[in-house]
Amino acid sequence: MTSIGFGIIGLGRMGAFHAASLNGRIAGAHLVAAAVAPADRERMLADGSALCTLVSDAEALLATPGVDAVIVVSPSSLHREHIAMAARAGKAIFSEKPLADSVAGAREAAEAVRATGVPFQIGFQRRFDPGYARARQLIADGAIGKVEMFRGITCDRIPPVEFLRTSGGLFWDLAIHDFDAARFLVGDDVAEVCAAGSIMVEPRLAEFDDIDHGIVMLRFRNGVLGVCQSSWRAPYGYDIRAEVHGELGKVVTEVDEQFPARLYRDGRLESSRHDQFVERFSVAYTTELQAFVDAIHAGTPPSPGVEDGLKAVEISDAATRSRRSGGWVAVG
Ligand SMILES: NC(=O)c1ccc[n+]([C@@H]2O[C@H](COP(=O)([O-])OP(=O)(O)OC[C@H]3O[C@@H](n4cnc5c(N)ncnc54)[C@H](O)[C@@H]3O)[C@@H](O)[C@H]2O)c1
């Protein structure tokens, strides 16, 4: 089996993890080079923190010999441009979510992928998390009968405001994972949403009409109802959960402890929680990238694909519009 050479666009919080994965954790692939923003490139060259060769920019990366596939893990506002460039260059693409920072941009990115037919996977790692994957399997096997209701929760520590300025907002950056998990677990598309939001943590979010707490009600095409609850506050550690109710029972994926051991003492029960998403999803992040590499080797379409990326963005957009205007808003 020949090894697939990867280029990475972006080596920040998430890009550094994918780069480390490609430096030994992923079979059948290796890291060739990366492109980062000019200021980061200067800093990384000075302090020696780059995990690979750094080229001048994304265009140079795509022209680097040995780069067969690309991971787009630049800021969300650049995904459209970087996906379209990589597709035109004929590279297989793994892109972090969201597909773009607008529905029009996401449609453009999706069209570039469809038109060139390059393999594409979007970074919805929850589908590869052992808990979410088991929940999906149980539901698909009929363990809870007909699905009737969904609940998803994500609470995380707030990132720097400068990151949030280009993230698209709470529903585009954070809740989008619950929107995809909802589609994945319920097995249907969302028809309409109704959202509310508030600022409880960071007043500067008002400068760009963002929020740090949000609730989104979902109505699926098949009549199933759902709710997604998101917040940029998690003082007790990273917190995610999904609960799917059916006519025979419910499936809950929430075992979120850092170690599978609890201390029972003095009338108390203690366990440790994960602090950061990189820690909580380390298995899922590696498994999703391995699945992408395996699909390229097998010549099968990677999943979740560009249409899943687009559907999730459409829900994020509808939720944002509903939060601003009030009332139910159709998705798409
Ligand atoms: N799947 C997940 O759970 C998850 C978690 C975190 C972030 N993300 C996504 O990953 C993306 C990156 O997030 P992050 O937290 O790593 O951000 P970050 O700010 O830590 O890193 C961004 C990186 O992009 C680089 N960059 C900026 N402009 C560039 C350009 N023009 N050309 C090339 N590189 C450029 C920067 O130098 C930096 O290395 C975002 O889209 C975010 O939504 C996904």
Side-chain angles (χ1 to χ4, degrees):
M1 180 172 76
T2 53
S3 177
I4 297 165
F6 270 83
I8 296 195
I9 309 180
L11 276 180
R13 292 184 307 169
M14 201 60 236
F17 187 93
H18 289 314
S21 295
L22 287 168
N23 273 340
R25 286 198 291 262
I26 304 290
H30 62 280
L31 181 57
V32 175
V36 298
D40 285 338
R41 182 165 181 270
E42 227 168 87
R43 176 183 53 78
M44 294 177 109
L45 288 175
D47 67 16
S49 60
L51 294 162
C52 60
T53 304
L54 291 183
V55 296
S56 57
D57 55 26
E59 217 169 296
L61 185 74
L62 295 170
T64 300
V67 170
D68 312 304
V70 170
I71 300 186
V72 175
V73 63
S74 48
S76 302
S77 53
L78 299 175
H79 289 185
R80 178 203 58 77
E81 174 190 337
H82 288 150
I83 291 169
M85 281 168 72
R88 279 196 301 272
K91 310 294 179 188
I93 305 167
F94 178 97
S95 175
E96 271 306 337
K97 43 55 63 171
L99 199 50
D101 62 351
S102 68
V103 171
R107 288 184 180 143
E108 237 181 85
E111 195 41 47
V113 170
R114 290 186 202 115
T116 51
V118 294
F120 182 93
Q121 187 173 321
I122 188 85
F124 286 135
Q125 80 280 0
R126 288 190 195 181
R127 293 182 180 225
F128 298 88
D129 177 73
Y132 280 73
R134 172 77 177 143
R136 173 64 205 145
Q137 193 60 53
L138 286 167
I139 292 164
D141 290 347
I144 60 168
K146 191 168 149 289
V147 171
E148 293 175 341
M149 197 161 64
F150 170 87
R151 186 158 73 103
I153 295 181
T154 300
C155 305
D156 193 2
R157 289 171 204 273
I158 190 163
V161 170
E162 288 322 308
F163 171 88
L164 293 173
R165 265 183 214 284
T166 60
S167 71
L170 186 76
F171 296 147
W172 287 76
D173 191 56
L174 193 68
I176 194 166
H177 284 294
D178 290 296
F179 300 151
D180 181 66
R183 292 185 61 245
F184 176 59
L185 293 175
V186 172
D188 195 28
D189 280 321
V190 177
E192 56 176 353
V193 298
C194 183
S198 66
I199 295 179
M200 314 285 279
V201 182
E202 176 49 83
R204 285 177 293 171
L205 295 182
E207 290 167 18
F208 44 103
D209 194 14
D210 198 2
I211 49 169
D212 51 46
H213 281 66
I215 303 255
V216 184
M217 286 193 286
L218 317 169
R219 193 192 308 277
F220 289 78
R221 287 185 319 189
N222 61 8
V224 168
L225 290 176
V227 64
C228 294
Q229 186 180 325
S230 336
S231 91
W232 284 131
R233 177 90 83 191
Y236 47 83
Y238 190 70
D239 186 15
I240 59 158
R241 208 167 318 151
E243 181 168 326
V244 185
H245 295 244
E247 58 186 340
L248 304 177
K250 71 175 181 178
V251 178
V252 183
T253 172
E254 67 172 348
V255 181
D256 231 5
E257 290 160 352
Q258 194 178 15
F259 309 107
R262 295 173 189 154
L263 172 66
Y264 292 72
R265 205 183 134 154
D266 302 330
R268 290 159 53 95
L269 173 58
E270 275 183 31
S271 64
S272 305
R273 299 189 59 80
H274 293 282
D275 188 51
Q276 299 287 330
F277 55 83
V278 190
E279 205 185 275
R280 169 62 182 80
F281 282 119
S282 63
V283 170
Y285 289 137
T286 311
T287 313
E288 68 173 351
L289 200 49
Q290 186 66 65
F292 177 63
V293 168
D294 291 348
I296 298 174
H297 280 299
T300 53
S303 177
V306 79
E307 307 306 331
D308 295 301
L310 189 52
K311 295 267 185 206
V313 154
E314 286 174 350
I315 301 172
S316 302
D317 172 64
T320 306
R321 286 188 286 124
S322 167
R323 195 259 298 172
R324 288 176 179 155
S325 65
W328 287 88
V329 169
V331 174

